[in-house]
Amino acid sequence: MGKRRRFIKRLYIALRRELREHRSSFITYMILRALVIATLVITVANGNYESAFLCLLTLALLVVPSLLQVALRIELPTILEITILIFIFAAEILGEIFNFYTIFPFWDTVLHTLNGFLAAAVGFSLVLLLNKSEKILMYLSPLFAAIVAFCFSMTIGVIWEFFEFSMDRIFLLDMQKDTVLHTISSVALNPEGENVPVIIDGISDVSVNGRELGLGGYLDIGLYDTMQDLFVNFIGALSFSTLGFLFMRNRDDSSVVVKLVPRKKDKDKDYLAR
């Protein structure tokens, strides 16, 4: 029990030092943290406890980049760390609480594209760390490194869509937003039961239990939103994987990849060990 307490204390001290290590990311963290706390106070005062929980979750997530650096002994580039912090704030606070997902239809698309790009950067960094490890006798070529980064990013994107689908099915949260369509094609509408789709065009409204919804078309069940998220994740993943491939092949230290890929922490900055 004593060892665990000492470790938690060391971890806490190392985390505080890590938060102050990079000036720019620390300032960004403090600004976003203040904004989240202000939002938390407002939501509690209004009795909106669901949004208050999101604020608490966001406060915890904002510490994750620094916690990972301490626990995994890796160094996140300042640009990558700031981007992750802003991404968390934009997704949870602006998107969910301030309803940016509805106000700005492109908000979700931008975040999913950025997620694909950042996830590919994480996957690519794993390859670089393994290639430099003295304990693992393995080296991946630039092409395979790019493929691993791409597949890692797409896997993260698919798992997130699984999560959204589960939340919609269990808690009816509608995380996979619906799309109004004016044309549908379905074999379920075939009167003869054949595997031939029946196309209905020019749909202007749909009735449910005898009540017109007034949407101006047919409401799908989130398929279009899911596929769009995966497509833009694909674009983000492919973009970074291409940059990573060119970086490994040419060893260009001026590449944007250098500013986005985590690296092994130097011994003098390993605060947990110290």
Side-chain angles (χ1 to χ4, degrees), residues 169-188:
R169 292 288 293 178
I170 298 173
F171 301 107
L172 303 178
L173 296 180
D174 193 27
M175 296 184 69
Q176 296 175 306
K177 298 297 186 290
D178 300 328
T179 304
V180 177
L181 306 176
H182 302 287
T183 301
I184 63 173
S185 173
S186 175
V187 297

Side-chain angles (χ1 to χ4, degrees), residues 3-259:
K3 291 183 178 180
R4 180 178 298 179
R5 288 180 178 178
R6 287 195 295 269
F7 174 77
I8 293 176
K9 184 177 180 180
R10 285 174 52 212
L11 182 62
Y12 174 72
I13 296 174
L15 183 58
R16 290 184 60 183
R17 292 180 178 177
E18 188 66 48
L19 285 170
R20 291 173 170 78
E21 172 65 26
H22 306 291
R23 181 179 177 85
S24 299
S25 58
F26 177 68
I27 293 175
T28 303
Y29 165 77
M30 293 304 295
I31 292 174
L32 296 180
R33 183 175 180 229
L35 292 174
V36 175
I37 292 175
T39 305
L40 174 62
V41 173
I42 295 173
T43 54
V44 172
N46 294 333
N48 190 348
Y49 298 111
E50 181 179 346
S51 296
F53 171 77
L54 284 176
C55 290
L56 294 176
L57 176 62
T58 303
L59 289 174
L61 291 176
L62 289 176
V63 184
V64 169
S66 297
L67 183 61
L68 290 178
Q69 291 184 85
V70 171
L72 301 181
R73 291 175 167 82
I74 59 175
E75 190 74 23
L76 296 180
T78 301
I79 294 179
L80 177 61
E81 188 172 1
I82 292 176
T83 304
I84 293 175
L85 293 175
I86 294 176
F87 177 86
I88 294 171
F89 182 81
E92 298 298 330
I93 303 301
L94 297 180
E96 296 289 348
I97 297 179
F98 289 96
N99 204 25
F100 273 36
Y101 288 129
T102 302
I103 298 174
F104 305 105
F106 60 85
W107 194 258
D108 186 57
T109 301
V110 171
L111 291 181
H112 275 281
T113 306
L114 183 59
N115 175 74
F117 192 85
L118 294 178
V122 173
F124 189 77
S125 68
L126 294 177
V127 175
L128 293 183
L129 292 174
L130 289 175
N131 280 349
K132 294 180 180 180
S133 175
E134 298 177 354
K135 298 180 181 180
I136 301 178
L137 300 176
M138 180 190 71
Y139 181 83
L140 291 181
S141 67
L143 178 59
F144 274 94
I147 292 175
V148 169
F150 175 80
C151 293
F152 181 85
S153 177
M154 291 304 300
T155 301
I156 296 298
V158 170
I159 291 175
W160 177 254
E161 294 303 322
F162 284 168
F163 171 76
E164 287 190 346
F165 175 78
S166 300
M167 293 299 101
D168 290 351
R169 292 288 293 178
I170 298 173
F171 301 107
L172 303 178
L173 296 180
D174 193 27
M175 296 184 69
Q176 296 175 306
K177 298 297 186 290
D178 300 328
T179 304
V180 177
L181 306 176
H182 302 287
T183 301
I184 63 173
S185 173
S186 175
V187 297
L189 299 176
N190 192 305
E192 299 178 0
E194 298 180 359
N195 191 28
V196 178
V198 173
I199 301 174
I200 300 179
D201 195 9
I203 302 175
S204 59
D205 205 353
V206 174
S207 298
V208 176
N209 295 331
R211 182 173 65 90
E212 293 187 359
L213 300 180
L215 297 172
Y218 174 80
L219 193 67
D220 87 316
I221 56 173
L223 175 62
Y224 277 67
D225 178 76
T226 299
M227 294 310 300
Q228 177 177 288
D229 291 346
L230 291 177
F231 274 126
V232 296
N233 192 104
F234 169 86
I235 294 173
L238 183 63
S239 299
F240 188 90
S241 298
T242 302
L243 292 174
F245 169 77
L246 295 175
F247 165 74
M248 284 193 68
R249 191 181 67 174
N250 302 326
R251 292 297 175 182
D252 184 9
D253 292 335
S254 62
S255 172
V256 68
V257 174
V258 178
K259 300 178 181 180

